[in-house]
Amino acid sequence: MTLEAGREALTHTPLRRGRFAPSPTGPLHLGNARTALLSWLAARALGGRYALRVEDLDAPRVRPGMEPRILDELRWLGLDWDEGPDVGGPAGPYRQSERLERYAAALERLRAAGHVYPCFCSRAEIAASAQAPHGPSDDGPRYPGTCRALSAAERAERARTRAPSWRFRVPHGPVAFDDGVHGPRTADVLATVGDFVVARADGVPAYQLAVVVDDAAMEVTEVVRGDDLLPSTARQLLLYRALALAPPRFAHVPLVVGEDGERLAKRHGALSLGELREGGAAPDAVTGLLAELSGLTPPGVRCRPSDLVAGFSLARLPRAPAALAAARVAALLDGEA
Ligand code: GLU
């Protein structure tokens, strides 16, 4: 390789960066812990950096003391991060409640470019006017576009009695992306979700906007998260496009379910990481179980996250939900695992 070519290769190999973005609204359970482990492995296997971001915009649901507990439990498991609320970093702050002016600036850019419009509809009005089927997840009914074409006079009139939320004007046509676990996907956001909210009437930015602003600002290149967020990805890609930001690669890992195939819950004996830790479970036994649930190790192997980095590939991850047997959790507490 010539010197020039070498320089080219260097400048064209961007730094990879992964992240985990927990909401401090409840303790980490084994499903969240597995997502954290897989996002960490994906970044570390690429030789990338890893950031921890706290998504605490939903103030009424944030539980005091939960953030330090989550961070402590992730460290107990053997994960580490180069950037985060406790260690700082170049793209801080790493707590969304401290980044409000960034979301406001992004909203302003969207507004200036005509990508958003004020919406005066109440939830009840949307529910009543929407004959269309529900959107692709539990986001509620498709927004029928009621406020899309209000005149300036109509807007001014409605703004007298109600503060508006702001909706993204979704363009026609499919959005395509290649998911690192699920493969090629397309979604028609306008047909399924409709124009979606990017800022609530009380001024709080919506998850969709905050996550795009933050992943772009933190130069995240690998988003690995639970596949309950797969339906959000097309909306986020539309925001990347509208804000002229470079999108990351996305990989959505299947959720952990109980033996009955239902979303993991208390009745499956699914304890939080904290409960497992207090109950005497060994962190390498917990990591071993999470790795087994991801098809990375055979049953009964104890390991540290760092043991799993070599050769890790998201492409080999099973696409089906991972089923957790209650007996396996109990064995962690008995020290048998
Ligand atoms: N804060 C979100 C959650 O805890 C994750 C968002 C994301 O990874 O994009 O579900």
Side-chain angles (χ1 to χ4, degrees):
M1 198 186 279
T2 63
L3 190 60
E4 271 314 297
R7 231 178 248 139
E8 275 282 283
L10 268 183
T11 48
H12 285 89
T13 310
L15 182 66
R16 304 292 197 83
R17 193 182 269 100
R19 50 72 157 179
F20 184 56
S23 304
T25 51
L28 286 180
H29 53 70
L30 285 171
N32 311 126
R34 192 180 78 122
T35 303
L37 172 67
L38 293 171
S39 66
W40 184 90
L41 286 171
R44 295 306 193 206
L46 293 166
R49 287 170 68 84
Y50 191 66
L52 201 291
R53 181 174 71 238
V54 173
E55 302 209 323
D56 59 349
L57 287 179
D58 193 358
R61 290 186 57 229
V62 168
R63 282 171 51 183
M66 198 50 77
E67 177 193 313
R69 187 173 150 187
I70 288 173
L71 268 53
D72 191 42
E73 289 167 5
L74 291 171
R75 282 220 172 82
W76 172 75
L77 213 53
L79 302 180
D80 64 350
W81 43 94
D82 311 295
E83 303 169 33
D86 53 343
V87 295
Y94 291 87
R95 220 173 261 122
Q96 289 192 322
S97 58
E98 296 168 10
R99 302 177 59 80
L100 297 179
E101 70 282 8
R102 290 160 173 88
Y103 314 130
L107 181 62
E108 193 43 51
R109 281 179 60 199
L110 292 173
R111 216 181 266 144
H115 286 302
V116 293
Y117 61 84
C119 170
F120 300 92
C121 297
S122 68
R123 242 175 238 268
E125 284 162 353
I126 295 169
S129 63
Q131 293 103 10
H134 276 220
S137 61
D138 48 7
D139 295 324
R142 174 182 176 276
Y143 181 64
T146 319
C147 294
R148 200 180 228 248
L150 293 183
S151 67
E154 285 169 320
R155 279 182 189 156
E157 174 59 29
R158 287 187 207 190
R160 285 172 42 189
T161 51
R162 187 193 271 272
S165 61
W166 289 85
R167 286 185 184 269
F168 183 75
R169 198 182 288 279
V170 175
H172 283 277
V175 179
F177 62 99
D178 200 6
D179 187 84
V181 174
H182 292 268
R185 311 282 299 191
T186 40
D188 187 333
V189 179
L190 192 58
T192 52
V193 179
D195 295 339
F196 56 90
V197 172
V198 289
R200 293 181 351 195
D202 60 6
V204 177
Y207 157 70
Q208 308 291 358
L209 179 63
V211 77
V212 166
V213 168
D214 288 348
D215 281 334
M218 294 174 186
E219 298 183 11
V220 170
T221 60
E222 323 297 316
V223 167
V224 177
R225 59 188 178 191
D227 66 8
D228 51 330
L229 289 169
L230 190 55
S232 286
T233 305
R235 272 168 273 173
Q236 292 169 20
L237 284 167
L238 290 173
L239 289 176
Y240 278 101
R241 204 186 292 162
L243 290 165
L245 297 168
R249 272 173 288 272
F250 290 96
H252 290 86
V253 301
L255 297 178
V256 178
V257 296
E259 283 166 291
D260 53 4
E262 297 291 325
R263 204 185 172 119
L264 207 57
K266 278 276 173 215
R267 68 195 152 80
H268 298 110
L271 301 176
S272 69
L273 267 197
E275 287 167 320
L276 288 169
R277 182 184 184 179
E278 281 144 31
D284 53 357
V286 176
T287 300
L289 178 58
L290 299 177
E292 179 197 330
L293 285 172
S294 313
L296 300 174
T297 52
V301 173
R302 289 182 174 218
C303 56
R304 305 266 308 153
S306 52
D307 300 329
L308 300 165
V309 172
F312 175 80
S313 163
L314 276 175
R316 293 213 299 270
L317 207 70
R319 287 188 197 184
L324 176 65
R328 301 299 309 282
V329 181
L332 287 173
L333 293 174
D334 297 339
E336 286 166 19

mmCIF file with all atom_site columns, all heavy atoms in Angstrom, residues 19 21-23 53 55 207 211 215 223 225 228-229 236, ligand 1:
data_model
loop_
_atom_site.group_PDB
_atom_site.id
_atom_site.type_symbol
_atom_site.label_atom_id
_atom_site.label_alt_id
_atom_site.label_comp_id
_atom_site.label_asym_id
_atom_site.label_entity_id
_atom_site.label_seq_id
_atom_site.pdbx_PDB_ins_code
_atom_site.Cartn_x
_atom_site.Cartn_y
_atom_site.Cartn_z
_atom_site.occupancy
_atom_site.B_iso_or_equiv
_atom_site.pdbx_formal_charge
_atom_site.auth_seq_id
_atom_site.auth_comp_id
_atom_site.auth_asym_id
_atom_site.auth_atom_id
_atom_site.pdbx_PDB_model_num
ATOM   1   N N   . ARG A 1 19  ? -23.741 1.900  21.971 1.00 0.00 ? 19  ARG A N   1
ATOM   2   C CA  . ARG A 1 19  ? -24.290 2.556  23.161 1.00 0.00 ? 19  ARG A CA  1
ATOM   3   C C   . ARG A 1 19  ? -25.381 1.697  23.782 1.00 0.00 ? 19  ARG A C   1
ATOM   4   O O   . ARG A 1 19  ? -25.971 0.820  23.130 1.00 0.00 ? 19  ARG A O   1
ATOM   5   C CB  . ARG A 1 19  ? -24.806 3.949  22.831 1.00 0.00 ? 19  ARG A CB  1
ATOM   6   C CG  . ARG A 1 19  ? -25.758 4.079  21.630 1.00 0.00 ? 19  ARG A CG  1
ATOM   7   C CD  . ARG A 1 19  ? -27.107 3.515  21.905 1.00 0.00 ? 19  ARG A CD  1
ATOM   8   N NE  . ARG A 1 19  ? -28.163 4.043  21.073 1.00 0.00 ? 19  ARG A NE  1
ATOM   9   C CZ  . ARG A 1 19  ? -29.422 3.637  21.184 1.00 0.00 ? 19  ARG A CZ  1
ATOM   10  N NH1 . ARG A 1 19  ? -29.758 2.679  22.026 1.00 0.00 ? 19  ARG A NH1 1
ATOM   11  N NH2 . ARG A 1 19  ? -30.359 4.140  20.410 1.00 0.00 ? 19  ARG A NH2 1
ATOM   12  N N   . ALA A 1 21  ? -28.852 2.619  26.173 1.00 0.00 ? 21  ALA A N   1
ATOM   13  C CA  . ALA A 1 21  ? -29.599 3.831  26.539 1.00 0.00 ? 21  ALA A CA  1
ATOM   14  C C   . ALA A 1 21  ? -30.763 3.488  27.461 1.00 0.00 ? 21  ALA A C   1
ATOM   15  O O   . ALA A 1 21  ? -31.924 3.552  27.065 1.00 0.00 ? 21  ALA A O   1
ATOM   16  C CB  . ALA A 1 21  ? -30.093 4.521  25.267 1.00 0.00 ? 21  ALA A CB  1
ATOM   17  N N   . PRO A 1 22  ? -30.473 3.094  28.689 1.00 0.00 ? 22  PRO A N   1
ATOM   18  C CA  . PRO A 1 22  ? -31.559 2.677  29.582 1.00 0.00 ? 22  PRO A CA  1
ATOM   19  C C   . PRO A 1 22  ? -32.406 3.859  30.051 1.00 0.00 ? 22  PRO A C   1
ATOM   20  O O   . PRO A 1 22  ? -31.921 4.981  30.173 1.00 0.00 ? 22  PRO A O   1
ATOM   21  C CB  . PRO A 1 22  ? -30.820 2.048  30.771 1.00 0.00 ? 22  PRO A CB  1
ATOM   22  C CG  . PRO A 1 22  ? -29.485 2.713  30.791 1.00 0.00 ? 22  PRO A CG  1
ATOM   23  C CD  . PRO A 1 22  ? -29.152 3.006  29.348 1.00 0.00 ? 22  PRO A CD  1
ATOM   24  N N   . SER A 1 23  ? -33.673 3.572  30.295 1.00 0.00 ? 23  SER A N   1
ATOM   25  C CA  . SER A 1 23  ? -34.570 4.544  30.920 1.00 0.00 ? 23  SER A CA  1
ATOM   26  C C   . SER A 1 23  ? -34.621 4.197  32.402 1.00 0.00 ? 23  SER A C   1
ATOM   27  O O   . SER A 1 23  ? -34.935 3.056  32.743 1.00 0.00 ? 23  SER A O   1
ATOM   28  C CB  . SER A 1 23  ? -35.970 4.438  30.323 1.00 0.00 ? 23  SER A CB  1
ATOM   29  O OG  . SER A 1 23  ? -35.908 4.612  28.926 1.00 0.00 ? 23  SER A OG  1
ATOM   30  N N   . ARG A 1 53  ? -25.994 6.123  27.891 1.00 0.00 ? 53  ARG A N   1
ATOM   31  C CA  . ARG A 1 53  ? -26.818 7.333  27.916 1.00 0.00 ? 53  ARG A CA  1
ATOM   32  C C   . ARG A 1 53  ? -28.089 7.061  28.711 1.00 0.00 ? 53  ARG A C   1
ATOM   33  O O   . ARG A 1 53  ? -28.753 6.039  28.488 1.00 0.00 ? 53  ARG A O   1
ATOM   34  C CB  . ARG A 1 53  ? -27.186 7.736  26.488 1.00 0.00 ? 53  ARG A CB  1
ATOM   35  C CG  . ARG A 1 53  ? -28.028 8.993  26.435 1.00 0.00 ? 53  ARG A CG  1
ATOM   36  C CD  . ARG A 1 53  ? -28.268 9.466  25.025 1.00 0.00 ? 53  ARG A CD  1
ATOM   37  N NE  . ARG A 1 53  ? -29.161 8.627  24.265 1.00 0.00 ? 53  ARG A NE  1
ATOM   38  C CZ  . ARG A 1 53  ? -28.848 8.029  23.114 1.00 0.00 ? 53  ARG A CZ  1
ATOM   39  N NH1 . ARG A 1 53  ? -27.664 8.169  22.575 1.00 0.00 ? 53  ARG A NH1 1
ATOM   40  N NH2 . ARG A 1 53  ? -29.737 7.282  22.489 1.00 0.00 ? 53  ARG A NH2 1
ATOM   41  N N   . GLU A 1 55  ? -31.842 7.790  29.483 1.00 0.00 ? 55  GLU A N   1
ATOM   42  C CA  . GLU A 1 55  ? -32.996 8.378  28.793 1.00 0.00 ? 55  GLU A CA  1
ATOM   43  C C   . GLU A 1 55  ? -34.094 8.659  29.821 1.00 0.00 ? 55  GLU A C   1
ATOM   44  O O   . GLU A 1 55  ? -34.983 7.842  30.053 1.00 0.00 ? 55  GLU A O   1
ATOM   45  C CB  . GLU A 1 55  ? -33.443 7.444  27.666 1.00 0.00 ? 55  GLU A CB  1
ATOM   46  C CG  . GLU A 1 55  ? -32.289 7.203  26.688 1.00 0.00 ? 55  GLU A CG  1
ATOM   47  C CD  . GLU A 1 55  ? -32.703 6.922  25.260 1.00 0.00 ? 55  GLU A CD  1
ATOM   48  O OE1 . GLU A 1 55  ? -33.715 6.249  25.050 1.00 0.00 ? 55  GLU A OE1 1
ATOM   49  O OE2 . GLU A 1 55  ? -31.973 7.384  24.347 1.00 0.00 ? 55  GLU A OE2 1
ATOM   50  N N   . TYR A 1 207 ? -39.423 10.672 22.288 1.00 0.00 ? 207 TYR A N   1
ATOM   51  C CA  . TYR A 1 207 ? -38.307 9.717  22.204 1.00 0.00 ? 207 TYR A CA  1
ATOM   52  C C   . TYR A 1 207 ? -37.676 9.728  20.808 1.00 0.00 ? 207 TYR A C   1
ATOM   53  O O   . TYR A 1 207 ? -36.442 9.747  20.668 1.00 0.00 ? 207 TYR A O   1
ATOM   54  C CB  . TYR A 1 207 ? -38.827 8.313  22.574 1.00 0.00 ? 207 TYR A CB  1
ATOM   55  C CG  . TYR A 1 207 ? -37.985 7.192  22.006 1.00 0.00 ? 207 TYR A CG  1
ATOM   56  C CD1 . TYR A 1 207 ? -36.695 6.958  22.498 1.00 0.00 ? 207 TYR A CD1 1
ATOM   57  C CD2 . TYR A 1 207 ? -38.457 6.402  20.965 1.00 0.00 ? 207 TYR A CD2 1
ATOM   58  C CE1 . TYR A 1 207 ? -35.909 5.949  21.952 1.00 0.00 ? 207 TYR A CE1 1
ATOM   59  C CE2 . TYR A 1 207 ? -37.683 5.394  20.424 1.00 0.00 ? 207 TYR A CE2 1
ATOM   60  C CZ  . TYR A 1 207 ? -36.404 5.178  20.915 1.00 0.00 ? 207 TYR A CZ  1
ATOM   61  O OH  . TYR A 1 207 ? -35.635 4.187  20.365 1.00 0.00 ? 207 TYR A OH  1
ATOM   62  N N   . VAL A 1 211 ? -33.703 10.555 20.559 1.00 0.00 ? 211 VAL A N   1
ATOM   63  C CA  . VAL A 1 211 ? -32.773 9.450  20.300 1.00 0.00 ? 211 VAL A CA  1
ATOM   64  C C   . VAL A 1 211 ? -31.936 9.728  19.042 1.00 0.00 ? 211 VAL A C   1
ATOM   65  O O   . VAL A 1 211 ? -30.746 9.419  18.988 1.00 0.00 ? 211 VAL A O   1
ATOM   66  C CB  . VAL A 1 211 ? -33.546 8.105  20.233 1.00 0.00 ? 211 VAL A CB  1
ATOM   67  C CG1 . VAL A 1 211 ? -34.271 7.936  18.910 1.00 0.00 ? 211 VAL A CG1 1
ATOM   68  C CG2 . VAL A 1 211 ? -32.638 6.916  20.472 1.00 0.00 ? 211 VAL A CG2 1
ATOM   69  N N   . ASP A 1 215 ? -27.985 10.090 19.295 1.00 0.00 ? 215 ASP A N   1
ATOM   70  C CA  . ASP A 1 215 ? -27.120 9.108  18.632 1.00 0.00 ? 215 ASP A CA  1
ATOM   71  C C   . ASP A 1 215 ? -26.232 9.807  17.606 1.00 0.00 ? 215 ASP A C   1
ATOM   72  O O   . ASP A 1 215 ? -25.062 9.452  17.447 1.00 0.00 ? 215 ASP A O   1
ATOM   73  C CB  . ASP A 1 215 ? -27.952 7.988  17.987 1.00 0.00 ? 215 ASP A CB  1
ATOM   74  C CG  . ASP A 1 215 ? -28.411 6.950  19.013 1.00 0.00 ? 215 ASP A CG  1
ATOM   75  O OD1 . ASP A 1 215 ? -27.732 6.801  20.055 1.00 0.00 ? 215 ASP A OD1 1
ATOM   76  O OD2 . ASP A 1 215 ? -29.444 6.295  18.793 1.00 0.00 ? 215 ASP A OD2 1
ATOM   77  N N   . VAL A 1 223 ? -26.294 0.915  16.539 1.00 0.00 ? 223 VAL A N   1
ATOM   78  C CA  . VAL A 1 223 ? -27.387 0.885  17.505 1.00 0.00 ? 223 VAL A CA  1
ATOM   79  C C   . VAL A 1 223 ? -27.854 -0.557 17.635 1.00 0.00 ? 223 VAL A C   1
ATOM   80  O O   . VAL A 1 223 ? -28.325 -1.148 16.666 1.00 0.00 ? 223 VAL A O   1
ATOM   81  C CB  . VAL A 1 223 ? -28.556 1.798  17.069 1.00 0.00 ? 223 VAL A CB  1
ATOM   82  C CG1 . VAL A 1 223 ? -29.794 1.526  17.905 1.00 0.00 ? 223 VAL A CG1 1
ATOM   83  C CG2 . VAL A 1 223 ? -28.144 3.261  17.182 1.00 0.00 ? 223 VAL A CG2 1
ATOM   84  N N   . ARG A 1 225 ? -30.384 -2.735 20.005 1.00 0.00 ? 225 ARG A N   1
ATOM   85  C CA  . ARG A 1 225 ? -31.423 -2.566 21.029 1.00 0.00 ? 225 ARG A CA  1
ATOM   86  C C   . ARG A 1 225 ? -32.490 -3.631 20.846 1.00 0.00 ? 225 ARG A C   1
ATOM   87  O O   . ARG A 1 225 ? -32.450 -4.412 19.891 1.00 0.00 ? 225 ARG A O   1
ATOM   88  C CB  . ARG A 1 225 ? -31.999 -1.159 20.934 1.00 0.00 ? 225 ARG A CB  1
ATOM   89  C CG  . ARG A 1 225 ? -32.606 -0.852 19.586 1.00 0.00 ? 225 ARG A CG  1
ATOM   90  C CD  . ARG A 1 225 ? -32.989 0.617  19.463 1.00 0.00 ? 225 ARG A CD  1
ATOM   91  N NE  . ARG A 1 225 ? -33.520 0.874  18.126 1.00 0.00 ? 225 ARG A NE  1
ATOM   92  C CZ  . ARG A 1 225 ? -33.750 2.070  17.626 1.00 0.00 ? 225 ARG A CZ  1
ATOM   93  N NH1 . ARG A 1 225 ? -33.480 3.147  18.356 1.00 0.00 ? 225 ARG A NH1 1
ATOM   94  N NH2 . ARG A 1 225 ? -34.238 2.232  16.418 1.00 0.00 ? 225 ARG A NH2 1
ATOM   95  N N   . ASP A 1 228 ? -38.438 -4.643 20.209 1.00 0.00 ? 228 ASP A N   1
ATOM   96  C CA  . ASP A 1 228 ? -39.672 -3.875 20.402 1.00 0.00 ? 228 ASP A CA  1
ATOM   97  C C   . ASP A 1 228 ? -39.525 -2.484 19.755 1.00 0.00 ? 228 ASP A C   1
ATOM   98  O O   . ASP A 1 228 ? -40.520 -1.811 19.493 1.00 0.00 ? 228 ASP A O   1
ATOM   99  C CB  . ASP A 1 228 ? -40.010 -3.738 21.896 1.00 0.00 ? 228 ASP A CB  1
ATOM   100 C CG  . ASP A 1 228 ? -38.855 -3.222 22.738 1.00 0.00 ? 228 ASP A CG  1
ATOM   101 O OD1 . ASP A 1 228 ? -37.681 -3.477 22.384 1.00 0.00 ? 228 ASP A OD1 1
ATOM   102 O OD2 . ASP A 1 228 ? -39.115 -2.548 23.748 1.00 0.00 ? 228 ASP A OD2 1
ATOM   103 N N   . LEU A 1 229 ? -38.284 -2.086 19.473 1.00 0.00 ? 229 LEU A N   1
ATOM   104 C CA  . LEU A 1 229 ? -38.051 -0.768 18.860 1.00 0.00 ? 229 LEU A CA  1
ATOM   105 C C   . LEU A 1 229 ? -37.847 -0.848 17.342 1.00 0.00 ? 229 LEU A C   1
ATOM   106 O O   . LEU A 1 229 ? -37.643 0.174  16.690 1.00 0.00 ? 229 LEU A O   1
ATOM   107 C CB  . LEU A 1 229 ? -36.861 -0.078 19.536 1.00 0.00 ? 229 LEU A CB  1
ATOM   108 C CG  . LEU A 1 229 ? -37.183 0.375  20.970 1.00 0.00 ? 229 LEU A CG  1
ATOM   109 C CD1 . LEU A 1 229 ? -35.933 0.803  21.707 1.00 0.00 ? 229 LEU A CD1 1
ATOM   110 C CD2 . LEU A 1 229 ? -38.204 1.499  20.966 1.00 0.00 ? 229 LEU A CD2 1
ATOM   111 N N   . GLN A 1 236 ? -37.158 7.059  12.769 1.00 0.00 ? 236 GLN A N   1
ATOM   112 C CA  . GLN A 1 236 ? -35.877 7.683  13.105 1.00 0.00 ? 236 GLN A CA  1
ATOM   113 C C   . GLN A 1 236 ? -35.064 7.969  11.843 1.00 0.00 ? 236 GLN A C   1
ATOM   114 O O   . GLN A 1 236 ? -34.450 9.022  11.717 1.00 0.00 ? 236 GLN A O   1
ATOM   115 C CB  . GLN A 1 236 ? -35.129 6.810  14.112 1.00 0.00 ? 236 GLN A CB  1
ATOM   116 C CG  . GLN A 1 236 ? -35.858 6.819  15.455 1.00 0.00 ? 236 GLN A CG  1
ATOM   117 C CD  . GLN A 1 236 ? -35.363 5.796  16.453 1.00 0.00 ? 236 GLN A CD  1
ATOM   118 O OE1 . GLN A 1 236 ? -34.262 5.285  16.356 1.00 0.00 ? 236 GLN A OE1 1
ATOM   119 N NE2 . GLN A 1 236 ? -36.212 5.486  17.416 1.00 0.00 ? 236 GLN A NE2 1
HETATM 120 N N1  . GLU B 2 .   ? -34.524 4.159  26.381 1.00 0.00 ? 1   GLU B N1  1
HETATM 121 C C1  . GLU B 2 .   ? -35.066 3.100  25.578 1.00 0.00 ? 1   GLU B C1  1
HETATM 122 C C2  . GLU B 2 .   ? -35.492 1.952  26.472 1.00 0.00 ? 1   GLU B C2  1
HETATM 123 O O1  . GLU B 2 .   ? -35.015 1.850  27.592 1.00 0.00 ? 1   GLU B O1  1
HETATM 124 C C3  . GLU B 2 .   ? -34.082 2.563  24.576 1.00 0.00 ? 1   GLU B C3  1
HETATM 125 C C4  . GLU B 2 .   ? -34.014 3.426  23.397 1.00 0.00 ? 1   GLU B C4  1
HETATM 126 C C5  . GLU B 2 .   ? -33.063 2.949  22.311 1.00 0.00 ? 1   GLU B C5  1
HETATM 127 O O2  . GLU B 2 .   ? -32.228 2.063  22.562 1.00 0.00 ? 1   GLU B O2  1
HETATM 128 O O3  . GLU B 2 .   ? -33.162 3.500  21.229 1.00 0.00 ? 1   GLU B O3  1
HETATM 129 O O4  . GLU B 2 .   ? -36.312 1.169  26.042 1.00 0.00 ? 1   GLU B O4  1
#
